[in-house]
Amino acid sequence: MDAQLLRHTFAVVERRAEHAVTFFYSHLFWNNPGMRALFPEDMAPQRDRIFAALTHVVTHLDEPGLADYLGALGRDHRKFLATPALYSAVGASLLAAFAHAAGAAWTVAAEKAWTEAYGLVADLMKAGAEASVAEGQPAWWDADVVRHERFGEDLALLTLRPRQPYPYLAGQYVSVSSLHVPRVWRTYSLANAPRPDGTLDLHVSRVLGGLMSPTLTERLRVGETLRLSTPGGALTARTPPGKPRTYIAAGTGWAPVRALLEEAAADEPALEGRLFVVARAKEYLYGKADAERFRELIPGLHVTYITAAPLRPRDQATERLVQALRASVNWPAHDVYLAGPPGFLTEVAEELEDLGTDPCRVFHDTLPAVGRFTTRPSTRAEWLIEPPQLHWHNPEARAPRER
Ligand SMILES: Cc1cc2nc3c(=O)[nH]c(=O)nc-3n(C[C@H](O)[C@H](O)[C@H](O)COP(=O)(O)OP(=O)(O)OC[C@H]3O[C@@H](n4cnc5c(N)ncnc54)[C@H](O)[C@@H]3O)c2cc1C
Ligand code: HEM
């Protein structure tokens, strides 16, 4: 593949990505009307993901991990009912959108390079899907809801029982779909290490105005069925025995950290480590009882709870965490497991690097880029039809002091 030419055209298209995404889906659904029914009704939150995936591809062309990434993506695309014929349809629309957005940069050579590149990407994805069929994996796992508990207004703790064996590792996440919001899939961390009875827990925090989290917290009932995709994620245990480690969990970031601690309590109860549990306010510290149990099971675990002071904005919890991290010692020796909202992850990972941790030993999930190209309306007509929301639009999402 001519990597330089691919990057050059992509840089031009990326500048007009909002147009390209709109063109792509219009072209795809106009030429293949049946495909619209495979996508969620409201595509606004995620419609740029295919571009995010392509960004990943063109920026990782030389890396050996690319084939694995695309294989896993193809495996995962079985849940969207993607077939080889549909890959051709997507390819035709993607190239049409690129030609439209690239203008003069869409030369004969560029078209040839992109046709080859898309062919390779699609082949690797289809190979991943074929391998998963050969291994006897289902396209998704049906799982019955056996417990649904609310913790305050904003949080639900779910226990699910998959109907077929569902293999996963402590710390991984799963993509979930509910018939209440058909074809919408969102990612949630598995909150326990694998259990003999096969049940698994999820902790869901309600995002006001969201599609999935209000469904899972408010509408879902015991006895209903959810769909689960293949588990994924990079937050699995990988510290050699005897090496100290630090766990940092904010909000529902407690879910994967809880799973890792459950595994560690069984496999290595003599470990030396520290645990920071962060919540926006005291009443959101829903993991405290569990964390206390881990303190007893792992005597070498030093536990600290951090929240914002009453009536202070939630950012204060992060500031307090940073102070506590600075007061802790011996960072270069520690492996760090980090989970929480995206902004929190970035800020804390930077701080940890300043404190001397090895960036390769700070483990957290890499977050899919969402909303990068779709936050701004792309044309004047879109501005008029759907004016952009001001970022303080939802007063309930803000802490009392900020109102
Ligand atoms: C690796 C990974 C693990 C995750 N684990 C968990 C978990 O264990 N528990 C959990 O509750 N969530 C978890 N999430 C977040 C979850 O996947 C959804 O993004 C979240 O539930 C919102 O989905 P939604 O459909 O309700 O909102 P959407 O319909 O996707 O979004 C609606 C609007 O809200 C905005 N928005 C989305 N998320 C947030 C947010 N967190 N805060 C403020 N605004 C937001 C969007 O930009 C959009 O404008 C995880 C995400 C990732 C990537
Ligand atoms: C090389 C081709 C493709 C690439 C790179 C690609 C990439 C992606 C990525 C990265 C996502 C987000 C995944 C997630 O959030 O879990 C996605 C979502 C999706 N893809 Fe693909 N995809 C390709 C082909 C296809 C095909 C052929 C179909 C046909 C059915 C398809 C259907 C979907 C659907 C339905 C979604 C969900 C969209 C949403 O939630 O709004 N994709 N794709």
Side-chain angles (χ1 to χ4, degrees):
M1 277 193 286
D2 186 339
Q4 212 182 344
L5 183 56
L6 289 175
R7 287 204 185 95
H8 171 71
T9 359
F10 192 75
V12 179
V13 172
E14 208 183 7
R15 285 202 289 275
R16 307 189 64 213
E18 290 157 347
H19 291 283
V21 172
T22 308
F23 190 99
F24 165 68
Y25 281 113
S26 309
H27 190 278
L28 185 67
F29 297 150
W30 179 263
N31 290 296
N32 310 274
M35 278 191 85
R36 181 62 187 94
L38 300 178
F39 285 76
E41 204 171 305
D42 178 1
M43 292 180 50
Q46 310 223 15
R47 64 178 191 154
D48 59 1
R49 286 226 171 157
I50 198 159
F51 268 76
L54 284 170
T55 311
H56 184 92
V57 171
V58 286
T59 50
H60 292 77
L61 277 175
D62 313 327
E63 287 180 24
L66 185 64
D68 288 346
Y69 165 80
L70 290 170
L73 192 60
R75 205 172 257 265
D76 197 55
H77 262 59
R78 287 184 60 209
K79 73 186 186 208
F80 299 132
L81 305 176
T83 59
L86 297 183
Y87 277 97
S88 305
V90 164
S93 295
L94 206 61
L95 292 183
F98 269 53
H100 171 74
W106 195 248
T107 57
V108 172
E111 181 167 349
K112 183 170 174 288
W114 274 100
T115 307
E116 279 171 17
Y118 180 83
L120 182 70
V121 168
D123 284 349
L124 288 167
M125 286 178 69
K126 285 185 278 186
E130 279 162 21
S132 102
V133 173
E135 288 161 21
Q137 264 192 3
W140 62 78
W141 281 257
D142 283 325
D144 298 314
V145 181
V146 294
R147 180 182 69 127
H148 185 277
E149 265 176 41
R150 296 292 291 270
F151 189 96
E153 283 272 280
D154 290 335
L155 195 80
L157 308 183
L158 316 184
T159 301
L160 312 178
R161 189 191 302 282
R163 292 186 192 160
Q164 281 176 269
Y166 182 73
Y168 63 95
L169 300 173
Q172 285 194 301
Y173 58 70
V174 56
S175 193
V176 174
S177 182
S178 157
L179 286 179
H180 289 295
V181 271
R183 301 176 301 280
V184 172
W185 291 82
R186 296 285 186 270
T187 316
Y188 297 93
S189 296
L190 294 153
N192 57 284
R195 293 177 180 141
D197 73 357
T199 60
L200 53 91
D201 293 347
L202 305 178
H203 300 168
V204 183
S205 172
R206 184 181 59 160
V207 171
L208 288 170
L211 287 174
M212 182 61 82
S213 58
T215 302
L216 297 182
T217 46
E218 291 166 354
R219 292 179 70 187
L220 191 72
R221 298 285 174 266
V222 167
E224 289 186 30
T225 304
L226 296 177
R227 287 178 177 179
L228 309 180
S229 73
T230 345
L235 196 69
T236 49
R238 55 188 86 179
T239 304
K243 189 169 196 256
R245 66 211 80 174
T246 298
Y247 301 92
I248 303 173
T252 49
W254 171 244
V257 167
R258 190 198 170 284
L260 289 169
L261 286 167
E262 199 168 68
E263 183 182 60
D267 294 351
E268 204 191 340
L271 72 83
E272 286 299 316
R274 39 198 189 214
L275 165 65
F276 295 90
V277 188
V278 186
R280 64 177 103 155
K282 238 178 173 170
E283 54 280 18
Y284 286 88
L285 267 180
Y286 73 97
K288 194 166 180 181
D290 265 344
E292 288 300 307
R293 200 166 54 83
F294 290 125
R295 194 207 291 266
E296 279 171 24
L297 293 170
I298 308 173
L301 187 71
H302 184 269
V303 185
T304 309
Y305 302 103
I306 294 177
T307 61
L311 299 180
R312 297 289 298 161
R314 64 174 73 175
D315 290 357
Q316 199 200 30
T318 314
E319 286 163 25
R320 285 180 162 185
L321 171 72
V322 167
Q323 284 162 15
L325 298 181
R326 286 181 187 159
S328 304
V329 293
N330 205 16
W331 283 109
H334 275 242
D335 276 4
V336 183
Y337 295 86
L338 183 58
F344 173 88
L345 290 189
T346 315
E347 193 175 338
V348 176
E350 277 170 15
E351 183 62 34
L352 287 166
E353 201 173 335
D354 290 348
L355 289 169
T357 49
D358 175 353
C360 302
R361 305 303 302 173
V362 176
F363 307 122
H364 58 77
D365 282 316
T366 42
L367 303 157
V370 190
R372 193 169 148 214
F373 307 127
T374 49
T375 45
R376 282 180 292 122
S378 57
T379 60
R380 229 181 130 66
E382 280 188 28
W383 272 90
L384 285 168
I385 294 164
E386 222 173 78
Q389 290 188 352
L390 300 173
H391 71 274
W392 59 86
H393 183 75
N394 179 0
E396 282 178 85
R398 283 178 287 129
R401 259 293 171 85
E402 294 171 288
R403 284 183 198 160

